[in-house]
Amino acid sequence: MTELSTKANRHLWGHFSRHGAGITPPIITRGEGVTIWDDRGKSYLDGLSGLFVVQAGHGRTELAQAAARQAEKLSFFPLWSYATPSAIELAERLASYAPGDLNRVFFTTGGGEAVESAWKLAKQYFKQTGKPGKYKAISRFTAYHGTPHGALAVTGLPVFKAPFEPITPGGVRVPNTNFYRAPKPYANDSKEFGQWAANRIAEAIEFEGPDTVAAVFLEPVQNAGGCFPPPPGYFERVREICDEYDVLLVSDEVICAFGRVGSMFACNDFGYRPDIITCAKGMTSGYSPIGAMIATDRLFEPFNDGKTTFAHGYTFGGHPVSSAVALANLDIFEREGLNDHVKENAPAFRTTLEKLLDLPIVGDVRGEGFFYGIELVKDKASKETFNDEESERLLRGFLSSALLEAGLYCRADDRGDPVVQLAPPLISGQQEFDRIEQILRGVLTEAWSRL
């Protein structure tokens, strides 16, 4: 064991991590492009962009330089009744990418905080406009929206809630858009399935009472459970429902924004206009932490009277250094055409991953852009999944370490049915796609032989 490993085992408390019983975390020391290295000098293809974050790739010195230039000029100042040039410029830039009149940018330091901010805004907005009973938030089964208590109440993963109950009241769940697991009447028609899933939102609003529901939180492509794209017409119908019941539509794009699906904001890819966008991760390609809630002019109006305050904020929200890094990162996007690169290469990524469907353990390959999930099954014909013990043995006992040892950093996830998730940096191309497929093929073949 190295000196760093010893220190990590003694002092570092990992996030969503297991400790003890001889577990020592791999230590990643540097990155360049699509490659990362550990403290032993072993290299890996970063098949998850860190954590759906490093869009422009590792080792971008101009982003580090942007941070240094800003820190030399102004290292920190809060946005509490003050403003800084980089935060102002970034707010304007984000508003220019957002659809419609989503012109008001409230900065946070990450995605969970952005979701928390969106729910708080929804609650206060309705109080300010004469509908104080509207406080509930609807989201989908298995969806992950963050760990703060409010965001956790929006999250649709019971196992994450149990240790922290009682949770903030008001979270309501509806079916997700996993077409692979669609109910039998809709299993052969994705559009009909999409209408059915969307209509469950209307049903939930009616059941809870329209005068109690403030917002619907939906990811453009749902992450947890393994990359569920929206069926055709789904978001169009959801928008109609939200308008009918005066409920805010929140597009949670913490993962999907900034090129992951092919545009700066994925709501543009799927043709819908939300009332609020939440975003974070890829805004700086991970070179400095930042997040944002972007709201429509209509939602800002009750706070634009010279006396009403949105009583919410974060010390480091819109940090001047992070804002400067985000601006430099978005310059890279535009200069190098990263969004167009994703759109042009996404079909090849899908085609390459779909080669894995010939393996008996691979039930489904699904996703959009550079964001894919591969669902693992015990029986392809029946779509039978693994039980908890088998999933524990398969994912944590073998796959995670075997994939890393084979040179691929990605995610083996069982927050829903077992999946392998992939989200390589947006600079990736066919060479990286082929390597991902080859490594997965070898490791998944070995996994099947061990069952």
mmCIF file of all heavy atoms in Angstrom, residues 170-205:
data_model
loop_
_atom_site.group_PDB
_atom_site.id
_atom_site.type_symbol
_atom_site.label_atom_id
_atom_site.label_comp_id
_atom_site.label_asym_id
_atom_site.label_seq_id
_atom_site.Cartn_x
_atom_site.Cartn_y
_atom_site.Cartn_z
ATOM 1 N N GLY A 170 -43.701 16.550 0.360
ATOM 2 C CA GLY A 170 -44.168 17.083 -0.913
ATOM 3 C C GLY A 170 -43.698 16.359 -2.144
ATOM 4 O O GLY A 170 -44.130 16.671 -3.257
ATOM 5 N N GLY A 171 -42.800 15.375 -2.002
ATOM 6 C CA GLY A 171 -42.325 14.642 -3.170
ATOM 7 C C GLY A 171 -43.337 13.599 -3.627
ATOM 8 O O GLY A 171 -43.829 12.810 -2.831
ATOM 9 N N VAL A 172 -43.647 13.595 -4.924
ATOM 10 C CA VAL A 172 -44.633 12.678 -5.511
ATOM 11 C C VAL A 172 -44.000 12.002 -6.720
ATOM 12 O O VAL A 172 -43.318 12.660 -7.513
ATOM 13 C CB VAL A 172 -45.899 13.444 -5.951
ATOM 14 C CG1 VAL A 172 -46.911 12.496 -6.591
ATOM 15 C CG2 VAL A 172 -46.530 14.172 -4.763
ATOM 16 N N ARG A 173 -44.225 10.693 -6.872
ATOM 17 C CA ARG A 173 -43.553 9.947 -7.928
ATOM 18 C C ARG A 173 -44.513 9.478 -9.018
ATOM 19 O O ARG A 173 -45.657 9.103 -8.751
ATOM 20 C CB ARG A 173 -42.863 8.715 -7.324
ATOM 21 C CG ARG A 173 -41.415 8.570 -7.717
ATOM 22 C CD ARG A 173 -40.558 9.724 -7.281
ATOM 23 N NE ARG A 173 -40.532 9.863 -5.838
ATOM 24 C CZ ARG A 173 -40.410 11.018 -5.210
ATOM 25 N NH1 ARG A 173 -40.302 12.134 -5.884
ATOM 26 N NH2 ARG A 173 -40.387 11.077 -3.894
ATOM 27 N N VAL A 174 -44.023 9.483 -10.276
ATOM 28 C CA VAL A 174 -44.769 8.972 -11.429
ATOM 29 C C VAL A 174 -43.853 8.039 -12.235
ATOM 30 O O VAL A 174 -42.639 8.050 -12.028
ATOM 31 C CB VAL A 174 -45.270 10.120 -12.328
ATOM 32 C CG1 VAL A 174 -46.299 10.979 -11.596
ATOM 33 C CG2 VAL A 174 -44.108 10.971 -12.843
ATOM 34 N N PRO A 175 -44.383 7.243 -13.169
ATOM 35 C CA PRO A 175 -43.544 6.329 -13.946
ATOM 36 C C PRO A 175 -42.497 7.062 -14.782
ATOM 37 O O PRO A 175 -42.708 8.189 -15.232
ATOM 38 C CB PRO A 175 -44.552 5.606 -14.850
ATOM 39 C CG PRO A 175 -45.847 5.687 -14.117
ATOM 40 C CD PRO A 175 -45.822 7.017 -13.430
ATOM 41 N N ASN A 176 -41.353 6.388 -14.969
ATOM 42 C CA ASN A 176 -40.320 6.944 -15.835
ATOM 43 C C ASN A 176 -40.536 6.488 -17.280
ATOM 44 O O ASN A 176 -41.559 5.872 -17.592
ATOM 45 C CB ASN A 176 -38.917 6.575 -15.315
ATOM 46 C CG ASN A 176 -38.723 5.074 -15.198
ATOM 47 O OD1 ASN A 176 -39.066 4.333 -16.108
ATOM 48 N ND2 ASN A 176 -38.159 4.618 -14.085
ATOM 49 N N THR A 177 -39.575 6.788 -18.141
ATOM 50 C CA THR A 177 -39.746 6.504 -19.576
ATOM 51 C C THR A 177 -38.849 5.368 -20.057
ATOM 52 O O THR A 177 -38.313 5.409 -21.166
ATOM 53 C CB THR A 177 -39.486 7.771 -20.415
ATOM 54 O OG1 THR A 177 -38.148 8.224 -20.186
ATOM 55 C CG2 THR A 177 -40.470 8.875 -20.049
ATOM 56 N N ASN A 178 -38.688 4.343 -19.238
ATOM 57 C CA ASN A 178 -37.896 3.178 -19.631
ATOM 58 C C ASN A 178 -38.720 2.303 -20.574
ATOM 59 O O ASN A 178 -39.470 1.432 -20.148
ATOM 60 C CB ASN A 178 -37.476 2.388 -18.390
ATOM 61 C CG ASN A 178 -36.585 1.202 -18.728
ATOM 62 O OD1 ASN A 178 -36.248 0.980 -19.889
ATOM 63 N ND2 ASN A 178 -36.215 0.437 -17.705
ATOM 64 N N PHE A 179 -38.580 2.527 -21.883
ATOM 65 C CA PHE A 179 -39.372 1.801 -22.880
ATOM 66 C C PHE A 179 -39.055 0.307 -22.853
ATOM 67 O O PHE A 179 -39.908 -0.526 -23.169
ATOM 68 C CB PHE A 179 -39.111 2.384 -24.267
ATOM 69 C CG PHE A 179 -39.984 1.794 -25.351
ATOM 70 C CD1 PHE A 179 -41.362 1.760 -25.216
ATOM 71 C CD2 PHE A 179 -39.418 1.284 -26.510
ATOM 72 C CE1 PHE A 179 -42.165 1.212 -26.207
ATOM 73 C CE2 PHE A 179 -40.198 0.744 -27.511
ATOM 74 C CZ PHE A 179 -41.585 0.706 -27.360
ATOM 75 N N TYR A 180 -37.838 -0.053 -22.471
ATOM 76 C CA TYR A 180 -37.467 -1.467 -22.384
ATOM 77 C C TYR A 180 -38.334 -2.198 -21.368
ATOM 78 O O TYR A 180 -38.577 -3.401 -21.506
ATOM 79 C CB TYR A 180 -35.987 -1.568 -21.988
ATOM 80 C CG TYR A 180 -35.432 -2.975 -21.948
ATOM 81 C CD1 TYR A 180 -35.332 -3.743 -23.102
ATOM 82 C CD2 TYR A 180 -34.976 -3.518 -20.742
ATOM 83 C CE1 TYR A 180 -34.800 -5.020 -23.054
ATOM 84 C CE2 TYR A 180 -34.441 -4.791 -20.690
ATOM 85 C CZ TYR A 180 -34.357 -5.544 -21.852
ATOM 86 O OH TYR A 180 -33.834 -6.819 -21.803
ATOM 87 N N ARG A 181 -38.814 -1.476 -20.360
ATOM 88 C CA ARG A 181 -39.663 -2.065 -19.322
ATOM 89 C C ARG A 181 -41.095 -1.527 -19.393
ATOM 90 O O ARG A 181 -41.806 -1.506 -18.391
ATOM 91 C CB ARG A 181 -39.075 -1.770 -17.943
ATOM 92 C CG ARG A 181 -37.659 -2.310 -17.725
ATOM 93 C CD ARG A 181 -37.664 -3.773 -17.465
ATOM 94 N NE ARG A 181 -36.315 -4.310 -17.272
ATOM 95 C CZ ARG A 181 -36.055 -5.600 -17.146
ATOM 96 N NH1 ARG A 181 -37.055 -6.481 -17.184
ATOM 97 N NH2 ARG A 181 -34.818 -6.035 -16.991
ATOM 98 N N ALA A 182 -41.527 -1.090 -20.567
ATOM 99 C CA ALA A 182 -42.858 -0.507 -20.716
ATOM 100 C C ALA A 182 -43.946 -1.535 -20.411
ATOM 101 O O ALA A 182 -43.784 -2.731 -20.693
ATOM 102 C CB ALA A 182 -43.041 0.014 -22.142
ATOM 103 N N PRO A 183 -45.085 -1.108 -19.834
ATOM 104 C CA PRO A 183 -46.213 -2.023 -19.625
ATOM 105 C C PRO A 183 -46.640 -2.655 -20.946
ATOM 106 O O PRO A 183 -46.540 -2.040 -22.014
ATOM 107 C CB PRO A 183 -47.313 -1.104 -19.069
ATOM 108 C CG PRO A 183 -46.576 0.062 -18.496
ATOM 109 C CD PRO A 183 -45.357 0.254 -19.343
ATOM 110 N N LYS A 184 -47.115 -3.892 -20.890
ATOM 111 C CA LYS A 184 -47.400 -4.671 -22.104
ATOM 112 C C LYS A 184 -48.266 -3.953 -23.136
ATOM 113 O O LYS A 184 -48.001 -4.056 -24.338
ATOM 114 C CB LYS A 184 -48.024 -6.010 -21.715
ATOM 115 C CG LYS A 184 -46.999 -7.008 -21.193
ATOM 116 C CD LYS A 184 -47.604 -8.388 -20.991
ATOM 117 C CE LYS A 184 -46.529 -9.382 -20.527
ATOM 118 N NZ LYS A 184 -47.086 -10.735 -20.293
ATOM 119 N N PRO A 185 -49.315 -3.232 -22.726
ATOM 120 C CA PRO A 185 -50.138 -2.588 -23.768
ATOM 121 C C PRO A 185 -49.372 -1.583 -24.622
ATOM 122 O O PRO A 185 -49.802 -1.238 -25.720
ATOM 123 C CB PRO A 185 -51.243 -1.893 -22.957
ATOM 124 C CG PRO A 185 -51.286 -2.618 -21.663
ATOM 125 C CD PRO A 185 -49.879 -3.037 -21.385
ATOM 126 N N TYR A 186 -48.211 -1.099 -24.119
ATOM 127 C CA TYR A 186 -47.467 -0.058 -24.828
ATOM 128 C C TYR A 186 -46.071 -0.517 -25.231
ATOM 129 O O TYR A 186 -45.266 0.283 -25.715
ATOM 130 C CB TYR A 186 -47.347 1.182 -23.930
ATOM 131 C CG TYR A 186 -48.655 1.568 -23.289
ATOM 132 C CD1 TYR A 186 -48.910 1.269 -21.946
ATOM 133 C CD2 TYR A 186 -49.654 2.194 -24.023
ATOM 134 C CE1 TYR A 186 -50.123 1.600 -21.359
ATOM 135 C CE2 TYR A 186 -50.876 2.517 -23.439
ATOM 136 C CZ TYR A 186 -51.094 2.217 -22.108
ATOM 137 O OH TYR A 186 -52.302 2.537 -21.537
ATOM 138 N N ALA A 187 -45.795 -1.791 -25.081
ATOM 139 C CA ALA A 187 -44.428 -2.297 -25.264
ATOM 140 C C ALA A 187 -43.949 -2.242 -26.710
ATOM 141 O O ALA A 187 -42.741 -2.319 -26.957
ATOM 142 C CB ALA A 187 -44.325 -3.727 -24.742
ATOM 143 N N ASN A 188 -44.847 -2.103 -27.669
ATOM 144 C CA ASN A 188 -44.463 -2.094 -29.085
ATOM 145 C C ASN A 188 -44.683 -0.749 -29.759
ATOM 146 O O ASN A 188 -44.540 -0.641 -30.979
ATOM 147 C CB ASN A 188 -45.234 -3.180 -29.841
ATOM 148 C CG ASN A 188 -44.901 -4.572 -29.347
ATOM 149 O OD1 ASN A 188 -43.730 -4.914 -29.183
ATOM 150 N ND2 ASN A 188 -45.922 -5.376 -29.086
ATOM 151 N N ASP A 189 -45.050 0.265 -28.987
ATOM 152 C CA ASP A 189 -45.331 1.575 -29.576
ATOM 153 C C ASP A 189 -44.779 2.657 -28.639
ATOM 154 O O ASP A 189 -45.408 2.996 -27.637
ATOM 155 C CB ASP A 189 -46.843 1.749 -29.774
ATOM 156 C CG ASP A 189 -47.184 2.988 -30.595
ATOM 157 O OD1 ASP A 189 -46.476 4.005 -30.457
ATOM 158 O OD2 ASP A 189 -48.176 2.952 -31.350
ATOM 159 N N SER A 190 -43.611 3.194 -28.974
ATOM 160 C CA SER A 190 -42.958 4.145 -28.079
ATOM 161 C C SER A 190 -43.768 5.427 -27.930
ATOM 162 O O SER A 190 -43.778 6.040 -26.849
ATOM 163 C CB SER A 190 -41.544 4.465 -28.576
ATOM 164 O OG SER A 190 -41.581 5.051 -29.862
ATOM 165 N N LYS A 191 -44.446 5.858 -28.977
ATOM 166 C CA LYS A 191 -45.238 7.080 -28.871
ATOM 167 C C LYS A 191 -46.418 6.882 -27.932
ATOM 168 O O LYS A 191 -46.708 7.749 -27.095
ATOM 169 C CB LYS A 191 -45.720 7.534 -30.245
ATOM 170 C CG LYS A 191 -46.391 8.903 -30.208
ATOM 171 C CD LYS A 191 -46.635 9.465 -31.586
ATOM 172 C CE LYS A 191 -47.202 10.880 -31.488
ATOM 173 N NZ LYS A 191 -47.429 11.478 -32.816
ATOM 174 N N GLU A 192 -47.111 5.755 -28.058
ATOM 175 C CA GLU A 192 -48.218 5.462 -27.147
ATOM 176 C C GLU A 192 -47.721 5.346 -25.709
ATOM 177 O O GLU A 192 -48.370 5.811 -24.764
ATOM 178 C CB GLU A 192 -48.915 4.164 -27.567
ATOM 179 C CG GLU A 192 -49.823 4.311 -28.778
ATOM 180 C CD GLU A 192 -51.021 5.197 -28.485
ATOM 181 O OE1 GLU A 192 -51.653 5.023 -27.418
ATOM 182 O OE2 GLU A 192 -51.303 6.093 -29.305
ATOM 183 N N PHE A 193 -46.554 4.735 -25.546
ATOM 184 C CA PHE A 193 -45.965 4.624 -24.213
ATOM 185 C C PHE A 193 -45.664 6.006 -23.646
ATOM 186 O O PHE A 193 -45.928 6.288 -22.473
ATOM 187 C CB PHE A 193 -44.686 3.785 -24.266
ATOM 188 C CG PHE A 193 -43.875 3.815 -23.006
ATOM 189 C CD1 PHE A 193 -44.398 3.349 -21.813
ATOM 190 C CD2 PHE A 193 -42.577 4.315 -23.015
ATOM 191 C CE1 PHE A 193 -43.645 3.381 -20.632
ATOM 192 C CE2 PHE A 193 -41.820 4.352 -21.858
ATOM 193 C CZ PHE A 193 -42.362 3.883 -20.663
ATOM 194 N N GLY A 194 -45.127 6.895 -24.488
ATOM 195 C CA GLY A 194 -44.825 8.242 -24.050
ATOM 196 C C GLY A 194 -46.066 9.001 -23.608
ATOM 197 O O GLY A 194 -46.046 9.712 -22.591
ATOM 198 N N GLN A 195 -47.147 8.843 -24.347
ATOM 199 C CA GLN A 195 -48.401 9.499 -23.968
ATOM 200 C C GLN A 195 -48.921 8.923 -22.651
ATOM 201 O O GLN A 195 -49.393 9.666 -21.782
ATOM 202 C CB GLN A 195 -49.451 9.319 -25.069
ATOM 203 C CG GLN A 195 -49.092 10.018 -26.366
ATOM 204 C CD GLN A 195 -48.951 11.519 -26.214
ATOM 205 O OE1 GLN A 195 -49.903 12.210 -25.884
ATOM 206 N NE2 GLN A 195 -47.751 12.034 -26.449
ATOM 207 N N TRP A 196 -48.823 7.613 -22.501
ATOM 208 C CA TRP A 196 -49.255 6.980 -21.246
ATOM 209 C C TRP A 196 -48.433 7.512 -20.071
ATOM 210 O O TRP A 196 -48.993 7.888 -19.035
ATOM 211 C CB TRP A 196 -49.100 5.458 -21.357
ATOM 212 C CG TRP A 196 -49.340 4.756 -20.053
ATOM 213 C CD1 TRP A 196 -50.542 4.372 -19.529
ATOM 214 C CD2 TRP A 196 -48.342 4.362 -19.090
ATOM 215 N NE1 TRP A 196 -50.358 3.772 -18.303
ATOM 216 C CE2 TRP A 196 -49.030 3.758 -18.007
ATOM 217 C CE3 TRP A 196 -46.955 4.470 -19.043
ATOM 218 C CZ2 TRP A 196 -48.354 3.250 -16.891
ATOM 219 C CZ3 TRP A 196 -46.292 3.981 -17.931
ATOM 220 C CH2 TRP A 196 -46.981 3.382 -16.873
ATOM 221 N N ALA A 197 -47.107 7.560 -20.231
ATOM 222 C CA ALA A 197 -46.245 8.013 -19.141
ATOM 223 C C ALA A 197 -46.509 9.479 -18.794
ATOM 224 O O ALA A 197 -46.570 9.860 -17.623
ATOM 225 C CB ALA A 197 -44.769 7.807 -19.516
ATOM 226 N N ALA A 198 -46.678 10.311 -19.815
ATOM 227 C CA ALA A 198 -46.964 11.723 -19.567
ATOM 228 C C ALA A 198 -48.307 11.900 -18.865
ATOM 229 O O ALA A 198 -48.440 12.713 -17.941
ATOM 230 C CB ALA A 198 -46.947 12.498 -20.882
ATOM 231 N N ASN A 199 -49.287 11.133 -19.271
ATOM 232 C CA ASN A 199 -50.621 11.264 -18.675
ATOM 233 C C ASN A 199 -50.648 10.842 -17.210
ATOM 234 O O ASN A 199 -51.548 11.240 -16.464
ATOM 235 C CB ASN A 199 -51.641 10.459 -19.480
ATOM 236 C CG ASN A 199 -51.994 11.146 -20.794
ATOM 237 O OD1 ASN A 199 -51.914 12.369 -20.909
ATOM 238 N ND2 ASN A 199 -52.376 10.365 -21.787
ATOM 239 N N ARG A 200 -49.682 10.041 -16.797
ATOM 240 C CA ARG A 200 -49.609 9.702 -15.381
ATOM 241 C C ARG A 200 -49.271 10.942 -14.537
ATOM 242 O O ARG A 200 -49.587 11.002 -13.350
ATOM 243 C CB ARG A 200 -48.566 8.601 -15.143
ATOM 244 C CG ARG A 200 -48.799 7.303 -15.899
ATOM 245 C CD ARG A 200 -49.978 6.482 -15.392
ATOM 246 N NE ARG A 200 -51.273 7.023 -15.642
ATOM 247 C CZ ARG A 200 -51.895 7.047 -16.849
ATOM 248 N NH1 ARG A 200 -51.292 6.575 -17.922
ATOM 249 N NH2 ARG A 200 -53.106 7.539 -16.967
ATOM 250 N N ILE A 201 -48.611 11.927 -15.160
ATOM 251 C CA ILE A 201 -48.335 13.185 -14.463
ATOM 252 C C ILE A 201 -49.636 13.936 -14.210
ATOM 253 O O ILE A 201 -49.887 14.434 -13.109
ATOM 254 C CB ILE A 201 -47.336 14.037 -15.264
ATOM 255 C CG1 ILE A 201 -45.978 13.320 -15.338
ATOM 256 C CG2 ILE A 201 -47.190 15.432 -14.655
ATOM 257 C CD1 ILE A 201 -44.962 13.988 -16.243
ATOM 258 N N ALA A 202 -50.484 14.007 -15.231
ATOM 259 C CA ALA A 202 -51.794 14.644 -15.054
ATOM 260 C C ALA A 202 -52.606 13.922 -13.986
ATOM 261 O O ALA A 202 -53.277 14.552 -13.152
ATOM 262 C CB ALA A 202 -52.545 14.658 -16.383
ATOM 263 N N GLU A 203 -52.533 12.599 -14.013
ATOM 264 C CA GLU A 203 -53.253 11.788 -13.022
ATOM 265 C C GLU A 203 -52.764 12.089 -11.603
ATOM 266 O O GLU A 203 -53.563 12.216 -10.664
ATOM 267 C CB GLU A 203 -53.048 10.316 -13.361
ATOM 268 C CG GLU A 203 -53.844 9.335 -12.551
ATOM 269 C CD GLU A 203 -53.562 7.912 -13.010
ATOM 270 O OE1 GLU A 203 -52.522 7.351 -12.609
ATOM 271 O OE2 GLU A 203 -54.351 7.377 -13.807
ATOM 272 N N ALA A 204 -51.454 12.220 -11.450
ATOM 273 C CA ALA A 204 -50.884 12.521 -10.129
ATOM 274 C C ALA A 204 -51.286 13.915 -9.660
ATOM 275 O O ALA A 204 -51.592 14.122 -8.481
ATOM 276 C CB ALA A 204 -49.365 12.396 -10.184
ATOM 277 N N ILE A 205 -51.292 14.881 -10.571
ATOM 278 C CA ILE A 205 -51.715 16.234 -10.206
ATOM 279 C C ILE A 205 -53.168 16.231 -9.741
ATOM 280 O O ILE A 205 -53.525 16.858 -8.731
ATOM 281 C CB ILE A 205 -51.520 17.201 -11.393
ATOM 282 C CG1 ILE A 205 -50.029 17.365 -11.700
ATOM 283 C CG2 ILE A 205 -52.148 18.560 -11.093
ATOM 284 C CD1 ILE A 205 -49.737 18.138 -12.979
#
